Amino acid sequence: MRRFTLRYLPLLLLILVASGATHAASNIPSIVQERGRHALVVDGKPFLLLAAQTNNSANYPAALPDVWPVVEQMHANTLVIPVAWEQVEPREGEFDFSFVDTLIEQAREKQVRLVLLWFATWKNNAPHYAPSWVKLDNQRFPRVKTEKGETLNSLSPHHRSTLEADKKAFVQLMRHLKKVDRQRTVIMVQVENEVGTYGSARDYSETPQKIFQQPVPQKLLNDTGKAPGNWTEVFGKDADEFFHAWHIGRFVDEIAEAGKEVYPLPMYVNVALRNPFNPGKPGQYSSGGATDNVIHIWKSAAPHIDMISPDIYFRDHKTATRVMDLYARDDNPLYIAEIGNDQPYVRYFFDALGHGALGFAPFGMDNTKYSNYPLGAETVDEKVIKPFADLYRVFGSMGSEWADISLNHRTWGFSEPVDTYVADKELWNARGSEAEEKEQRDPEDFTQRQDLGDWTAEITYGRPAFWIDPPKGNDPASGGAVIAELGKNEYLVIGYHARVSFAPSRELQGEQFTFDRVEEGHFEDGEWVFERVWNGDQTDWGLNFIYRPHVLRVKLATYKID
Ligand code: DGJ
């Protein structure tokens, strides 16, 4: 395998030349794309973001001693943590970035990167994290009104006063980061948090009512290929929700644009998802946020937002993986902005990587003794941390190489498809996960097959490493694997609690197939470092990943017989 640094250099130069960047700007993290695949670039190298996200309210120096130990135990390379408008601008025009400074200083000591979450106009639909001078002044910063005229605790996107105030504070934050963070400890910023409105499809107060009757903006018509008209004429039954999504998208985009003018870090939004199989009505889920049905509206409205990133709290395999299919797009790198920290979610790490994800951020990973159960685990303890740590340890040591491979090669991810349901169906049904019983299962239910081109991979779960016993699934469901195509007949395979086997995709006439060579190894400075060859029991029954992940470089071959 060639060194990624050499291979990557021309691309980097091209980006820098194209963007007219100076040498000082060359270190600013960025997102690059190649033929629909993506990478986050940090310090001039692809970077796999293996994060821990804190609980809410961890954004004070007093909470940080409860945060770092978990980051360390997880082997996370990045901490995702809020910065609240209420703490940086408690009085209008007076800014205090002391928390940001403390955070950056401590992160550098721990050699951990930061992603900052800008909790401002919207935090899960509400202005809870806005300063008092904002959230208590409904005249100057009006809230959304329902069709019946009820006022909701969600700020309206239709008022310049709100936008200008939020933007001003955000620009100050970015200016401050630019000044104090030439080391690029902060690598990305989330603009707002789970924007949108619960309880109404849109704002029905006077100002938006007028705008709703006006023609749909030309840009949105161009981007969606629609003929002119007002919102109802163009979008019919979707008009209310699309209108709200467009205006929140424009609001967020203007903030991101202004922030990037000062300091162009990658910026993204996170999404309070609707259940893709059972969506309900806008307002039952957070209307106006970038749910799967309005990603195209958001892409048009918010060109300065680099990624629209799902917050996954569906415990079941079918829904969690469907979300990834929906958000991993040529025009949208997948980044798992949040995912529950309980055991069932861990294995979705493999699906994320298979979808080319830039990163993964389990939520609530700290010792502040809060738990968002039933979304996440009941307690953050060794049992919760270990499976993440097992994966992060392996991928952390090859993060840059993996991110480079992911940018340049095809990848496929798998996770155990049959969920282990506990007696408590309520828990599983939280946020709409579909509970099914695991009884009377066929071995095929625990088998996944993927056509890789010349070869078909088979992934099975819950069988002994020796022998062909049919797969029964792990208890609890915990297996996963990711495969990257390195070249013809050559794959990188990393798995956990799973068996990976290969067979030719086409019919072989007068030929047999075999592993030519299976190397276990690791990466150092972009180079593959060989450790040993897997053979005999380790390959006779497929590649069995039992107690911990292994990194295997697999060469497949066919040979002729008479
Ligand atoms: C999603 C939000 O983005 C988080 O800040 C948090 O509130 C979780 N939901 C629930 O714990």
Side-chain angles (χ1 to χ4, degrees), residues 210-397:
K210 281 188 203 137
I211 309 171
F212 191 70
Q213 300 312 325
Q214 290 165 12
V216 169
Q218 192 58 45
K219 178 165 193 308
L220 184 56
L221 294 176
N222 294 346
D223 292 346
T224 54
K226 296 278 188 187
N230 68 27
W231 286 84
T232 312
E233 286 160 355
V234 176
F235 293 116
K237 66 172 181 30
D238 294 321
D240 292 323
E241 182 182 12
F242 285 17
F243 176 81
H244 204 41
W246 168 263
H247 284 97
I248 296 182
R250 289 295 312 128
F251 185 114
V252 168
D253 191 66
E254 200 176 316
I255 292 175
E257 181 179 14
K260 282 186 168 185
E261 257 165 40
V262 172
Y263 186 36
L265 284 180
M267 292 186 191
Y268 70 98
V269 291
N270 65 332
V271 185
L273 301 171
R274 59 177 211 161
N275 186 318
F277 298 111
N278 181 19
K281 293 202 170 73
Q284 290 172 334
Y285 57 86
S286 187
S287 181
T291 45
D292 64 80
N293 55 324
V294 295
I295 295 176
H296 63 306
I297 306 287
W298 265 84
K299 285 288 167 191
S300 178
H304 297 90
I305 291 297
D306 299 288
M307 305 188 285
I308 296 173
S309 308
D311 291 350
I312 300 182
Y313 292 98
F314 300 114
R315 287 173 172 255
D316 68 295
H317 179 269
K318 183 176 139 195
T319 319
T321 54
R322 176 70 187 141
V323 165
M324 295 196 203
D325 293 342
L326 290 166
Y327 283 85
R329 303 167 26 136
D330 286 3
D331 64 354
N332 195 60
L334 184 67
Y335 164 59
I336 308 300
E338 287 178 35
I339 188 160
N341 61 2
D342 211 354
Q343 182 277 329
Y345 300 101
V346 181
R347 69 196 202 270
Y348 304 136
F349 178 74
F350 288 102
D351 298 284
L353 292 191
H355 281 88
L358 309 190
F360 195 77
F363 179 88
M365 298 306 289
D366 60 43
N367 286 333
T368 57
K369 301 297 174 232
Y370 181 79
S371 155
N372 69 355
Y373 180 87
L375 301 187
E378 275 182 276
T379 46
V380 175
D381 55 18
E382 170 62 19
K383 228 173 86 207
V384 165
I385 296 171
K386 186 177 178 299
F388 289 112
D390 284 346
L391 298 179
Y392 278 16
R393 200 182 296 115
V394 168
F395 281 92
S397 70

Side-chain angles (χ1 to χ4, degrees), residues 63 109 195 312 335 411 481:
E109 272 167 28
V195 300
I312 300 182
Y335 164 59
T411 52

Side-chain angles (χ1 to χ4, degrees), residues 541-561:
W541 311 103
L543 307 174
N544 287 283
F545 300 87
I546 314 174
Y547 306 110
R548 66 173 178 89
H550 300 265
V551 184
L552 303 180
R553 191 174 159 182
V554 176
K555 263 196 189 159
L556 302 167
T558 55
Y559 59 95
K560 287 216 183 309
I561 49 171

Side-chain angles (χ1 to χ4, degrees), residues 2-5 45 397 401 523-529:
R2 282 176 295 163
R3 290 174 69 91
F4 72 80
T5 32
K45 288 193 297 191
S397 70
E401 292 87 349
F523 288 91
E524 268 172 38
D525 299 328
E527 301 277 12
W528 172 253
V529 180

